[in-house]
Each structure stands twice: as C-alpha cells, then as structure tokens.
Amino acid sequence: MTGFSIARYDRRALEAVLPAMGEMMRACVHAGASIGYILPFSAEDGVSFWESKVLPRLDAGGLVLLVARENGRVAGTVQLDRDTPPNQPHRAEVRKLMVDPAFRRRGLARRLMAEIEEEARGLGRSLLTLDTRTGDAAEPLYLSLGYAVSGIIPGYCLDPAEPKFDSTTIMYKRL
Ligand SMILES: CC(C)(COP(=O)(O)OP(=O)(O)OC[C@H]1O[C@@H](n2cnc3c(N)ncnc32)[C@H](O)[C@@H]1OP(=O)(O)O)[C@@H](O)C(=O)NCCC(=O)NCCS
C-alpha cells in the first residue's frame, strides 16, 4: 500500500481519468450521497457531469479540482469554486467533496479538505462556504474542521433514492 496522493487536475488530467471519475460518482450516488443527483444514475451519467459541468469551468479558470488516487485508482475528489462576484473576492465555495465508498474512513476527506483550504489561502480567499445534507457524515467532518453552521433550509433537495425532500445545512469557515 502506498497511501493516497492528491493532485490538482486540469482539463488534460481530468480527461485521462473520466471513466474512473464517472464510476466513483455512480458509486457515491448509489451509496446514498446527496451530491446533486438522484437514482437512476449510471457511470455514463457521472462522465457527463464531469464533461459538461466541470471541464468548461476548468477551462474558464473558475474552478480548482483536486483528485486523490491510491495505487492509480481514483479514490476521492473535491472542488473549490473561485468564480465569485466582484463584491466577494475574499470568498470561495467548497463543492462536490466525495470519497469512493471503497476508500472511506481512512482520513481521505479530511486530507482533501486540508488541501483545498491551502488552495483557497493561496488564492487569497479568507471565507469558505459550503452546504451539505443535514445529518450526513460530512456534517461532523466539517464541524471538526472548524466550519460553523449558519442555518438549515428544510426541504431543499430531493433524496437520491426515496420520494422525499431532504434539508441542507449551510456552513462557513474563516481562514
Ligand atoms: C463524507 C465523506 C466525504 C467522508 O469521507 P471519508 O474519507 O470517509 O472521511 P474521513 O475518513 O476523512 O473522516 C473524517 C471525519 O468525517 C466524519 N465521518 C466520516 N464518515 C462518517 C460516517 N459514516 N459517520 C459519521 N461520521 C463520519 C467523522 O467525523 C470523521 O472523523 P473520524 O474518522 O476522526 O471520526 C464520504 O462519506 C462521502 O463521500 N460521502 C458522500 C458524499 C458527501 O456526502 N459529500 C459531502 C457533500 S457536501
């Protein structure tokens, strides 16, 4: 075992791992992750997400994408949306933190968050915002990293697997 390696990905690097990124997203949604999508969700749907929502934003420079791998296998990812309006030059949004179910509970999300915060600092961002489904495993993770809860929006999004709405928790951290 070599452990996780985390790197910043541009278009070329992401294109080289698109099928694996699609499969990781499929595995996460099927394991219950609330990351914008609902079942049915295939690996091809995952590839479409990376192609249509992420590649153009990488090209435009509005997004920082980190990808973690272990022994060549894609294990996790997180994004920093730096495309904030002119009146929020100090803020960025943390998005789409996900760890493949096969690699969970080994501290990878914690490492991805530490590295994305370093990226944010490097970009001169001092306020990070994010949202996560209320009650999810990510909530204690963010709290332990110093994020504060600013509020809960009930009925924010559809549950990925059941015909019901879930709440979301809005959080922030000052770096
Ligand atoms: C949330 C998620 C990213 C955590 O990934 P991970 O690599 O397993 O997390 P880590 O091993 O770094 O754990 C960090 C902390 O998160 C919390 N945590 C992680 N999994 C948890 C679980 N199943 N239940 C409760 N707390 C959990 C714990 O506080 C943990 O700290 P500890 O191990 O010291 O107790 C992963 O479960 C995931 O991808 N979930 C689906 C996608 C998602 O919800 N993303 C967040 C969108 S905002």
Side-chain angles (χ1 to χ4, degrees):
M1 185 166 96
T2 57
F4 298 116
S5 62
I6 299 176
R8 189 172 168 164
Y9 273 35
D10 59 12
R11 163 177 279 273
R12 205 169 149 171
L14 177 55
E15 280 179 335
V17 292
L18 271 177
M21 295 294 280
E23 170 53 27
M24 175 176 63
M25 199 155 170
R26 184 207 65 77
C28 285
V29 174
H30 280 253
S34 182
I35 47 177
Y37 293 88
I38 57 173
L39 296 177
F41 189 86
S42 64
E44 291 72 29
D45 293 328
V47 169
S48 289
F49 163 79
W50 296 105
E51 281 179 330
S52 66
K53 306 285 188 201
V54 178
L55 282 177
R57 303 202 61 209
L58 285 177
D59 293 339
L63 205 63
V64 176
L65 172 68
L66 298 183
V67 175
R69 298 170 80 165
E70 185 177 61
N71 298 325
R73 276 188 68 191
V74 168
T77 184
V78 67
Q79 300 172 20
L80 186 75
D81 184 350
R82 57 180 293 195
D83 187 20
T84 46
N87 68 350
Q88 295 158 42
H90 60 306
R91 185 180 74 82
E93 180 92 6
V94 177
R95 294 191 191 280
K96 295 281 184 287
L97 171 68
M98 60 185 104
V99 171
D100 187 299
F103 296 92
R104 287 187 187 164
R105 296 317 296 261
R106 292 175 49 200
L108 179 54
R110 218 176 262 292
R111 278 193 56 196
L112 283 164
M113 288 300 295
E115 296 228 5
I116 208 74
E117 288 182 6
E118 268 314 296
E119 294 280 348
R121 281 190 194 91
L123 293 165
R125 308 295 165 119
S126 56
L127 174 64
L128 293 183
T129 52
L130 59 82
D131 66 82
T132 186
R133 183 170 53 176
T134 308
D136 267 2
E139 231 176 26
L141 164 67
Y142 296 138
L143 287 171
S144 75
L145 293 172
Y147 288 76
V149 174
S150 59
I152 290 175
I153 304 176
Y156 184 78
C157 58
L158 276 171
D159 186 274
E162 293 173 45
K164 66 181 179 85
F165 286 99
D166 292 329
S167 305
T168 200
T169 303
I170 313 287
M171 306 179 93
Y172 69 93
K173 178 176 179 176
R174 291 194 193 283
L175 295 180

PDB file of all heavy atoms in Angstrom, residues 7-23:
ATOM      1  N   ALA A   7      -3.644  15.548  -6.113  1.00  0.00           N
ATOM      2  CA  ALA A   7      -3.069  16.495  -7.074  1.00  0.00           C
ATOM      3  C   ALA A   7      -4.163  17.392  -7.637  1.00  0.00           C
ATOM      4  O   ALA A   7      -5.344  17.033  -7.654  1.00  0.00           O
ATOM      5  CB  ALA A   7      -2.382  15.743  -8.206  1.00  0.00           C
ATOM      6  N   ARG A   8      -3.721  18.562  -8.098  1.00  0.00           N
ATOM      7  CA  ARG A   8      -4.626  19.483  -8.771  1.00  0.00           C
ATOM      8  C   ARG A   8      -4.745  19.052 -10.235  1.00  0.00           C
ATOM      9  O   ARG A   8      -3.724  18.819 -10.874  1.00  0.00           O
ATOM     10  CB  ARG A   8      -4.048  20.902  -8.655  1.00  0.00           C
ATOM     11  CG  ARG A   8      -4.997  21.947  -9.132  1.00  0.00           C
ATOM     12  CD  ARG A   8      -4.459  23.325  -8.802  1.00  0.00           C
ATOM     13  NE  ARG A   8      -5.248  24.307  -9.520  1.00  0.00           N
ATOM     14  CZ  ARG A   8      -5.284  25.590  -9.260  1.00  0.00           C
ATOM     15  NH1 ARG A   8      -4.545  26.068  -8.286  1.00  0.00           N
ATOM     16  NH2 ARG A   8      -6.029  26.385  -9.965  1.00  0.00           N
ATOM     17  N   TYR A   9      -5.969  18.932 -10.735  1.00  0.00           N
ATOM     18  CA  TYR A   9      -6.197  18.438 -12.094  1.00  0.00           C
ATOM     19  C   TYR A   9      -6.658  19.559 -13.018  1.00  0.00           C
ATOM     20  O   TYR A   9      -7.558  20.330 -12.660  1.00  0.00           O
ATOM     21  CB  TYR A   9      -7.257  17.325 -12.088  1.00  0.00           C
ATOM     22  CG  TYR A   9      -6.687  15.940 -11.828  1.00  0.00           C
ATOM     23  CD1 TYR A   9      -5.619  15.768 -10.957  1.00  0.00           C
ATOM     24  CD2 TYR A   9      -7.213  14.814 -12.451  1.00  0.00           C
ATOM     25  CE1 TYR A   9      -5.085  14.509 -10.720  1.00  0.00           C
ATOM     26  CE2 TYR A   9      -6.687  13.547 -12.217  1.00  0.00           C
ATOM     27  CZ  TYR A   9      -5.622  13.404 -11.352  1.00  0.00           C
ATOM     28  OH  TYR A   9      -5.095  12.161 -11.109  1.00  0.00           O
ATOM     29  N   ASP A  10      -6.053  19.602 -14.210  1.00  0.00           N
ATOM     30  CA  ASP A  10      -6.542  20.483 -15.271  1.00  0.00           C
ATOM     31  C   ASP A  10      -7.336  19.636 -16.268  1.00  0.00           C
ATOM     32  O   ASP A  10      -7.565  18.442 -16.037  1.00  0.00           O
ATOM     33  CB  ASP A  10      -5.372  21.214 -15.942  1.00  0.00           C
ATOM     34  CG  ASP A  10      -4.367  20.237 -16.536  1.00  0.00           C
ATOM     35  OD1 ASP A  10      -4.667  19.021 -16.628  1.00  0.00           O
ATOM     36  OD2 ASP A  10      -3.267  20.680 -16.914  1.00  0.00           O
ATOM     37  N   ARG A  11      -7.748  20.240 -17.388  1.00  0.00           N
ATOM     38  CA  ARG A  11      -8.565  19.520 -18.378  1.00  0.00           C
ATOM     39  C   ARG A  11      -7.898  18.210 -18.792  1.00  0.00           C
ATOM     40  O   ARG A  11      -8.521  17.154 -18.803  1.00  0.00           O
ATOM     41  CB  ARG A  11      -8.800  20.409 -19.599  1.00  0.00           C
ATOM     42  CG  ARG A  11      -9.261  19.631 -20.828  1.00  0.00           C
ATOM     43  CD  ARG A  11      -9.556  20.502 -22.013  1.00  0.00           C
ATOM     44  NE  ARG A  11     -10.869  21.103 -21.918  1.00  0.00           N
ATOM     45  CZ  ARG A  11     -11.999  20.525 -22.338  1.00  0.00           C
ATOM     46  NH1 ARG A  11     -11.974  19.320 -22.871  1.00  0.00           N
ATOM     47  NH2 ARG A  11     -13.145  21.144 -22.222  1.00  0.00           N
ATOM     48  N   ARG A  12      -6.623  18.285 -19.107  1.00  0.00           N
ATOM     49  CA  ARG A  12      -5.945  17.104 -19.635  1.00  0.00           C
ATOM     50  C   ARG A  12      -5.926  15.964 -18.610  1.00  0.00           C
ATOM     51  O   ARG A  12      -6.182  14.799 -18.935  1.00  0.00           O
ATOM     52  CB  ARG A  12      -4.524  17.512 -20.006  1.00  0.00           C
ATOM     53  CG  ARG A  12      -3.935  16.639 -21.042  1.00  0.00           C
ATOM     54  CD  ARG A  12      -2.665  17.256 -21.533  1.00  0.00           C
ATOM     55  NE  ARG A  12      -1.774  16.179 -21.926  1.00  0.00           N
ATOM     56  CZ  ARG A  12      -0.652  16.389 -22.561  1.00  0.00           C
ATOM     57  NH1 ARG A  12      -0.269  17.606 -22.848  1.00  0.00           N
ATOM     58  NH2 ARG A  12       0.105  15.379 -22.901  1.00  0.00           N
ATOM     59  N   ALA A  13      -5.629  16.321 -17.369  1.00  0.00           N
ATOM     60  CA  ALA A  13      -5.558  15.292 -16.318  1.00  0.00           C
ATOM     61  C   ALA A  13      -6.934  14.694 -16.065  1.00  0.00           C
ATOM     62  O   ALA A  13      -7.068  13.478 -15.876  1.00  0.00           O
ATOM     63  CB  ALA A  13      -5.001  15.916 -15.037  1.00  0.00           C
ATOM     64  N   LEU A  14      -7.974  15.546 -16.084  1.00  0.00           N
ATOM     65  CA  LEU A  14      -9.325  15.024 -15.840  1.00  0.00           C
ATOM     66  C   LEU A  14      -9.773  14.135 -16.999  1.00  0.00           C
ATOM     67  O   LEU A  14     -10.345  13.056 -16.774  1.00  0.00           O
ATOM     68  CB  LEU A  14     -10.308  16.187 -15.636  1.00  0.00           C
ATOM     69  CG  LEU A  14     -11.777  15.795 -15.435  1.00  0.00           C
ATOM     70  CD1 LEU A  14     -11.958  14.811 -14.280  1.00  0.00           C
ATOM     71  CD2 LEU A  14     -12.638  17.044 -15.193  1.00  0.00           C
ATOM     72  N   GLU A  15      -9.489  14.562 -18.222  1.00  0.00           N
ATOM     73  CA  GLU A  15      -9.901  13.748 -19.372  1.00  0.00           C
ATOM     74  C   GLU A  15      -9.284  12.355 -19.316  1.00  0.00           C
ATOM     75  O   GLU A  15      -9.893  11.381 -19.739  1.00  0.00           O
ATOM     76  CB  GLU A  15      -9.508  14.455 -20.675  1.00  0.00           C
ATOM     77  CG  GLU A  15     -10.493  15.540 -21.047  1.00  0.00           C
ATOM     78  CD  GLU A  15     -10.112  16.282 -22.322  1.00  0.00           C
ATOM     79  OE1 GLU A  15      -8.909  16.308 -22.676  1.00  0.00           O
ATOM     80  OE2 GLU A  15     -11.020  16.856 -22.945  1.00  0.00           O
ATOM     81  N   ALA A  16      -8.080  12.264 -18.747  1.00  0.00           N
ATOM     82  CA  ALA A  16      -7.385  10.973 -18.690  1.00  0.00           C
ATOM     83  C   ALA A  16      -8.033  10.000 -17.707  1.00  0.00           C
ATOM     84  O   ALA A  16      -7.778   8.795 -17.773  1.00  0.00           O
ATOM     85  CB  ALA A  16      -5.922  11.191 -18.324  1.00  0.00           C
ATOM     86  N   VAL A  17      -8.862  10.514 -16.779  1.00  0.00           N
ATOM     87  CA  VAL A  17      -9.480   9.629 -15.777  1.00  0.00           C
ATOM     88  C   VAL A  17     -11.011   9.709 -15.803  1.00  0.00           C
ATOM     89  O   VAL A  17     -11.667   9.324 -14.837  1.00  0.00           O
ATOM     90  CB  VAL A  17      -8.969   9.929 -14.344  1.00  0.00           C
ATOM     91  CG1 VAL A  17      -7.507   9.558 -14.192  1.00  0.00           C
ATOM     92  CG2 VAL A  17      -9.207  11.386 -13.949  1.00  0.00           C
ATOM     93  N   LEU A  18     -11.580  10.200 -16.916  1.00  0.00           N
ATOM     94  CA  LEU A  18     -13.028  10.414 -16.950  1.00  0.00           C
ATOM     95  C   LEU A  18     -13.858   9.171 -16.596  1.00  0.00           C
ATOM     96  O   LEU A  18     -14.782   9.269 -15.777  1.00  0.00           O
ATOM     97  CB  LEU A  18     -13.453  10.948 -18.325  1.00  0.00           C
ATOM     98  CG  LEU A  18     -13.427  12.464 -18.484  1.00  0.00           C
ATOM     99  CD1 LEU A  18     -13.789  12.840 -19.910  1.00  0.00           C
ATOM    100  CD2 LEU A  18     -14.378  13.131 -17.498  1.00  0.00           C
ATOM    101  N   PRO A  19     -13.565   7.992 -17.184  1.00  0.00           N
ATOM    102  CA  PRO A  19     -14.383   6.819 -16.830  1.00  0.00           C
ATOM    103  C   PRO A  19     -14.318   6.506 -15.331  1.00  0.00           C
ATOM    104  O   PRO A  19     -15.332   6.182 -14.714  1.00  0.00           O
ATOM    105  CB  PRO A  19     -13.779   5.692 -17.675  1.00  0.00           C
ATOM    106  CG  PRO A  19     -13.108   6.394 -18.819  1.00  0.00           C
ATOM    107  CD  PRO A  19     -12.584   7.680 -18.239  1.00  0.00           C
ATOM    108  N   ALA A  20     -13.128   6.641 -14.735  1.00  0.00           N
ATOM    109  CA  ALA A  20     -12.989   6.355 -13.302  1.00  0.00           C
ATOM    110  C   ALA A  20     -13.729   7.396 -12.461  1.00  0.00           C
ATOM    111  O   ALA A  20     -14.330   7.065 -11.427  1.00  0.00           O
ATOM    112  CB  ALA A  20     -11.514   6.315 -12.916  1.00  0.00           C
ATOM    113  N   MET A  21     -13.716   8.641 -12.897  1.00  0.00           N
ATOM    114  CA  MET A  21     -14.437   9.690 -12.163  1.00  0.00           C
ATOM    115  C   MET A  21     -15.952   9.447 -12.253  1.00  0.00           C
ATOM    116  O   MET A  21     -16.688   9.672 -11.289  1.00  0.00           O
ATOM    117  CB  MET A  21     -14.085  11.066 -12.727  1.00  0.00           C
ATOM    118  CG  MET A  21     -12.634  11.469 -12.530  1.00  0.00           C
ATOM    119  SD  MET A  21     -12.156  11.721 -10.812  1.00  0.00           S
ATOM    120  CE  MET A  21     -12.782  13.369 -10.514  1.00  0.00           C
ATOM    121  N   GLY A  22     -16.404   9.015 -13.416  1.00  0.00           N
ATOM    122  CA  GLY A  22     -17.830   8.701 -13.584  1.00  0.00           C
ATOM    123  C   GLY A  22     -18.249   7.535 -12.706  1.00  0.00           C
ATOM    124  O   GLY A  22     -19.309   7.557 -12.084  1.00  0.00           O
ATOM    125  N   GLU A  23     -17.392   6.547 -12.627  1.00  0.00           N
ATOM    126  CA  GLU A  23     -17.697   5.368 -11.807  1.00  0.00           C
ATOM    127  C   GLU A  23     -17.680   5.722 -10.316  1.00  0.00           C
ATOM    128  O   GLU A  23     -18.530   5.264  -9.547  1.00  0.00           O
ATOM    129  CB  GLU A  23     -16.690   4.249 -12.122  1.00  0.00           C
ATOM    130  CG  GLU A  23     -16.727   3.065 -11.183  1.00  0.00           C
ATOM    131  CD  GLU A  23     -18.119   2.439 -11.006  1.00  0.00           C
ATOM    132  OE1 GLU A  23     -18.966   2.538 -11.915  1.00  0.00           O
ATOM    133  OE2 GLU A  23     -18.353   1.873  -9.917  1.00  0.00           O
TER     134      GLU A  23
END
